[in-house]
Amino acid sequence: MTNSVIVNKSFNFALDIIRTYHFIRCKKREFILSKQLLRAGTSIRANVREDFGGEFRKDFGHKMNIALKEANETEYWIELLIASSYLEDEVANEMLNKCKELCKILNSIVRKVRETQEVQDA
């Protein structure tokens, strides 16, 4: 797989999500919100990985857009876990910042793919 910023950051973020999920389930005994966080947070990387095997540029844009939606959803779950005191401030803020960074990167990729497709379609 190609060595890119989004590939590396989304993989490392998925690992952080898994660790956080286990912490919330084991230490805080919370099962619903943590499962949502796990699903959305690891899905970002899954869509990025699936896309790098894509055959067409439109597939790339579509998968990156799905990854962006999952990143936005993950940001929501982190914010909810912070507000409900399931995540401690230092850990939570670090995760939230990483998630926002992924959102920015993915948003940039999606925007660039759309612009490229518009030029090609013209």
Side-chain angles (χ1 to χ4, degrees):
M1 171 165 290
T2 185
N3 190 14
S4 74
V5 171
I6 192 60
V7 168
N8 294 332
K9 286 187 181 284
S10 61
F11 182 78
N12 290 331
F13 186 72
L15 291 174
D16 290 343
I17 290 291
I18 292 167
R19 290 182 197 109
T20 303
Y21 167 76
H22 284 293
F23 169 78
I24 295 169
R25 286 197 47 124
C26 295
K27 301 287 185 195
K28 301 289 186 168
R29 308 292 297 160
E30 195 295 315
F31 302 99
I32 306 300
L33 299 176
S34 60
K35 187 70 167 187
Q36 292 292 97
L37 176 70
L38 179 68
R39 186 201 55 75
T42 57
S43 180
I44 299 165
R45 178 60 167 94
N47 280 290
V48 168
R49 172 143 183 131
E50 185 176 334
D51 184 61
F52 277 93
E55 298 177 26
F56 303 105
R57 188 76 176 154
K58 287 185 180 184
D59 288 344
F60 180 79
H62 179 69
K63 287 297 180 183
M64 290 295 108
N65 196 47
I66 292 171
L68 175 59
K69 288 179 180 183
E70 294 294 340
N72 285 323
E73 182 181 339
T74 301
E75 187 176 331
Y76 166 74
W77 292 119
I78 293 169
E79 290 169 345
L80 195 58
L81 287 162
I82 291 168
S84 60
S85 300
Y86 282 111
L87 287 178
E88 293 144 10
D89 288 342
E90 187 177 325
V91 172
N93 289 330
E94 184 179 335
M95 286 199 62
L96 193 56
N97 288 336
K98 286 180 181 180
C99 190
K100 287 177 187 256
E101 182 180 8
L102 280 174
C103 288
K104 287 178 185 178
I105 294 168
L106 288 164
N107 193 37
S108 176
I109 292 170
V110 168
R111 194 174 335 109
K112 190 172 279 188
V113 168
R114 283 186 186 144
E115 289 170 359
T116 302
Q117 287 175 350
E118 288 172 3
V119 168
Q120 290 174 351
D121 291 342

